[in-house]
Amino acid sequence: MHDPHSENDQDWCKIKIYNKRNTRVPLFVTNFSHGELNPNAKDRLRFECYKKDDSNKIGCDAERYLMASYGRLNYIGVSSAPAVQHFIGIRSKTTGKIKLYDSSLFHMKPHVKKSECDIISSTPKTYWENVNTLTESFGSKARKRALNTKLKCTADASLEESLTLNDTSRLLSPDRSLGDDSQPIIDYLPPQNRAASCAEDVFNINCIISPIEDASLTVDVQELLTASIDVLSEKKFCVYVKEHFINVSAIKAKYLLYYDYLVKFQNLKYADIRKTNPASHIPELYRQNLFTKFTVSSKSVKGKETLSCPPKMKDKIVAYIFVLALFIDDYKVNLNQVVGDLSNVGMKKLTTIAKALGCHVNSKKVEASLVNYAELKLPLFVFTPARPKKSVRK
């Protein structure tokens, strides 16, 4: 080749095409989409090439994958049969000849692995999810308030399993293959040992009152044990505690004091729980543990966290109150005394919870009034939820 505009005859060169092109691997030319190579860098790129398993293709027609790794970031490029053939020319200064070699172009792009969270988040939203997103951004105050209530009710619906006579079919029915001693498992009831050899070993008081709370109750109850009857009458205890706090031992006095805290917490209403400092009349140590055990937290659209006590948690409080009453009354409880202090709990629901806890329930007529008793004795009562009758169409 000769440049006609050049005045130097040394610009003449001869071009020689390599004659064994199809039997040799071509030269690789890379182009990075997100940066340029730094020749002065200490750590250099490490290249690895992978060829598709095709023995017939060796030259530029072969499909290859080129990987460049640099620390934690990898680049990947693909080279396939090009529509236009590319060459690289190398000129010798001494002879003035240029040798042309086949080349393959690789457009290197960063390789980013997708996590499971990215895959889940990339799923398209439903029609109502898009509507809710628009309501959050452009809806009126009334619509945003309605959306907030809807989302909260949706979160509470999964936890709403109330133990009532109308929906006792929600409880797990006993498996016939387990025998007659089997008992359906209700997850929010206090833990019990149905294989116990005596009634005292069925329930563990540490599952009701934690050791930290027990140590604090030991200190708090000393003042009440030495107080006079007039001082005790001024205390705002529930009726059950007032009737049992006469000539009581130190251990049962602790149980009665914690029983009073449970009843006060059970009497809280929905608006009371949503206050800034709810249940301030209960000491801080017990209040924190009660909110941890018997409430559910949910977040609004704006990210505000609120507490609620769904019916399932309400039944859990009643179950813990009843078990504590078993320890106080030596495992035979007068249900009429217990139900009087509870809010929105009837005798039928309390009887159902007592049976679910393994107690035998019976009634006794005392001075022209019917009194219900629940006694924990062996063998424990096997609670079988009553299934609703199917209506037959005529």
Side-chain angles (χ1 to χ4, degrees):
M1 294 181 62
H2 180 259
D3 187 0
H5 301 284
S6 176
E7 298 179 354
N8 193 354
D9 293 338
Q10 293 182 355
D11 290 336
W12 284 84
C13 66
K14 294 182 180 180
I15 298 176
K16 181 181 179 181
I17 300 178
Y18 195 75
N19 56 358
K20 296 182 180 181
R21 293 167 46 218
N22 297 328
T23 60
R24 293 180 62 88
V25 177
L27 300 179
F28 296 160
V29 180
T30 59
N31 176 28
F32 290 85
S33 62
H34 289 75
E36 296 180 356
L37 289 178
N38 184 7
N40 299 324
K42 296 181 180 179
D43 299 331
R44 295 187 177 183
L45 285 174
R46 178 185 176 185
F47 290 91
E48 293 181 0
C49 181
Y50 300 91
K51 175 182 169 295
K52 190 175 181 181
D53 189 10
D54 191 351
S55 58
N56 297 329
K57 296 181 180 180
I58 299 177
C60 297
D61 296 338
E63 184 176 355
R64 291 180 173 86
Y65 291 85
L66 184 64
M67 178 181 292
S69 59
Y70 181 79
R72 293 179 295 177
L73 185 61
N74 295 330
Y75 291 86
I76 292 181
V78 182
S79 174
S80 57
V84 179
Q85 185 67 45
H86 297 87
F87 296 93
I88 292 180
I90 301 177
R91 181 188 178 189
S92 175
K93 293 183 179 181
T94 57
T95 61
K97 295 181 180 180
I98 294 180
K99 289 185 179 181
L100 296 183
Y101 296 89
D102 292 320
S103 64
S104 296
L105 301 182
F106 292 89
H107 187 62
M108 310 297 290
K109 295 182 180 180
H111 177 63
V112 180
K113 294 183 179 180
K114 289 187 177 181
S115 61
E116 295 181 359
C117 299
D118 298 333
I119 297 174
I120 295 174
S121 61
S122 62
T123 56
K125 292 184 178 180
T126 61
Y127 169 76
W128 288 111
E129 288 177 344
N130 291 327
V131 171
N132 293 340
T133 304
L134 291 175
T135 304
E136 294 175 13
S137 303
F138 308 103
S140 61
K141 291 183 178 180
R143 286 187 175 273
K144 290 181 180 179
R145 196 182 306 114
L147 177 61
N148 187 12
T149 305
K150 175 187 173 183
L151 295 177
K152 185 179 180 303
C153 293
T154 303
D156 293 342
S158 60
L159 299 171
E160 188 174 352
E161 287 186 12
S162 180
L163 182 62
T164 59
L165 290 178
N166 295 330
D167 59 358
T168 49
S169 59
R170 295 183 182 180
L171 298 175
L172 298 175
S173 58
D175 191 353
R176 294 181 181 179
S177 62
L178 298 178
D180 297 335
D181 296 335
S182 60
Q183 168 75 9
I185 299 174
I186 307 172
D187 56 354
Y188 55 83
L189 294 181
Q192 58 181 163
N193 179 19
R194 299 192 68 85
S197 58
C198 59
E200 290 79 2
D201 296 336
V202 175
F203 294 101
N204 187 357
I205 191 61
N206 292 328
C207 298
I208 309 298
I209 305 175
S210 65
I212 298 177
E213 291 173 324
D214 184 76
S216 180
L217 288 170
T218 304
V219 178
D220 296 342
V221 82
Q222 294 300 324
E223 181 182 354
L224 298 176
L225 291 174
T226 57
S228 60
I229 299 177
D230 296 334
V231 175
L232 292 176
S233 60
E234 294 178 358
K235 298 286 185 180
K236 295 181 180 180
F237 290 137
C238 61
V239 178
Y240 180 89
V241 174
K242 288 182 178 180
E243 292 178 354
H244 287 74
F245 218 100
I246 301 174
N247 298 327
V248 69
S249 62
I251 296 177
K252 289 189 176 181
K254 293 190 298 183
Y255 298 165
L256 286 169
L257 186 58
Y258 195 77
Y259 182 98
D260 186 70
Y261 295 150
L262 286 175
V263 171
K264 289 178 179 178
F265 191 85
Q266 194 271 339
N267 290 331
L268 292 177
K269 297 181 181 179
Y270 176 76
D272 298 331
I273 297 177
R274 292 176 61 89
K275 290 182 179 179
T276 305
N277 188 19
S280 57
H281 54 286
I282 301 176
E284 181 65 20
L285 173 63
Y286 315 109
R287 187 172 69 92
Q288 289 182 356
N289 292 335
L290 292 177
F291 272 101
T292 303
K293 283 183 181 178
F294 305 115
T295 59
V296 177
S297 62
S298 58
K299 287 187 178 181
S300 62
V301 178
K302 297 181 179 180
K304 182 180 180 182
E305 186 175 358
T306 57
L307 297 176
S308 62
C309 187
K312 178 179 178 179
M313 291 298 172
K314 288 283 188 182
D315 291 335
K316 183 178 180 180
I317 301 174
V318 176
Y320 276 65
I321 290 174
F322 178 78
V323 172
L324 195 55
L326 288 174
F327 284 97
I328 297 171
D329 284 330
D330 297 327
Y331 308 100
K332 187 175 182 179
V333 180
N334 185 344
L335 297 180
N336 295 64
Q337 293 179 343
V338 176
V339 77
D341 295 322
L342 302 179
S343 174
N344 297 326
V345 178
M347 182 59 68
K348 291 184 178 180
K349 172 175 279 192
L350 186 59
T351 302
T352 305
I353 292 178
K355 290 180 179 180
L357 290 168
C359 294
H360 298 264
V361 179
N362 54 68
S363 302
K364 185 178 180 181
K365 196 171 184 180
V366 179
E367 297 180 358
S369 61
L370 196 63
V371 180
N372 297 292
Y373 290 92
E375 184 177 2
L376 186 67
K377 60 181 180 180
L378 301 181
L380 298 178
F381 181 80
V382 179
F383 176 67
T384 304
R387 296 182 179 180
K389 296 181 180 181
K390 295 182 179 180
S391 59
V392 179
R393 294 183 179 179
K394 294 183 180 179

